[in-house]
Amino acid sequence: MVDLSALRAANASRFASAKLTRAAAFSPVAHRLIWAQAKARYQAVSARTGVPWWFIAIVHERECSQSFRGSLAQGDPWDRKSVHVPAGRGPFNSWEDCAIDALVNCAPFAARNKDWSIGGTLTMLEQYNGLGYAAKSRPSPYLWAGTDQYVSGKYVRDGVYDPNAVDQQLGCAGMIMTMMQLDPSIRFGEQAANDNAPPKVVARTGQVMVAPHPDSAPTISHPAPGSIGAWIVSLFKHAA
């Protein structure tokens, strides 16, 4: 049994001293996750669940590479019944409805979390991937890959741990660190779940280009706010 209080303290300590080792890889992902139109969708789910928008964005990236066609719970298409764990969810009417179900009704039940300190946040994220690393007293690559807190060790398949394997995916902690540099509205603690302010304009440095995920672009069902498409959709909603 993993002591979650001890894990929260360990994750908070690691975050306080962590340094990025793959900053160039984190940057375009972080820009994508805070992109205004994607952030607005995360904020809409946050308002209905109490889960911070940036936490939702990070889970979305890790579970299905930020595809708005995929479920927040396991990446399966949200418009049909899920086949991967948690299986049997859906179909849903929208990505937002599916995301709310994942946060409210599926383990690790992020909507029930009351500790949005950095230690509590990271431990909730770690539970999405499982506590196998914590049981071995090893930093989870799901959190720490791409930082100096992680060197090697990976579950290469269910129940099989290879101490020499290196996880090439980007960890959640590095995403948080990079997103915070770009969006100063990201905060921890009591204010974390209540911060749904409009995204601030942040300076872009170097040659980083904001490349929104193609699934984040406006669609017929999710037009850009204030557009003619949004007005037409509102007419249909009122007529229904």
Side-chain angles (χ1 to χ4, degrees), residues 133 136 153-163 165:
Y133 297 98
K136 292 180 176 293
K154 177 179 171 59
Y155 280 93
V156 292
R157 56 184 180 273
D158 289 348
V160 179
Y161 179 78
D162 183 345

Side-chain angles (χ1 to χ4, degrees), residues 53-91:
W53 70 266
W54 43 267
F55 180 98
I56 298 168
I58 290 168
V59 174
H60 193 201
E61 174 66 23
R62 283 298 317 226
E63 294 302 319
C64 53
S65 302
Q66 205 195 11
S67 171
F68 281 94
R69 300 186 185 99
S71 167
L72 203 66
Q74 73 297 79
D76 288 352
W78 53 258
D79 57 354
R80 64 192 74 168
K81 186 171 291 189
S82 63
V83 296
H84 297 95
V85 178
R89 311 303 301 179

Side-chain angles (χ1 to χ4, degrees), residues 98-113:
C98 181
I100 291 165
D101 177 75
L103 296 168
V104 172
N105 300 318
C106 301
F109 306 103
R112 302 180 191 177
N113 185 46

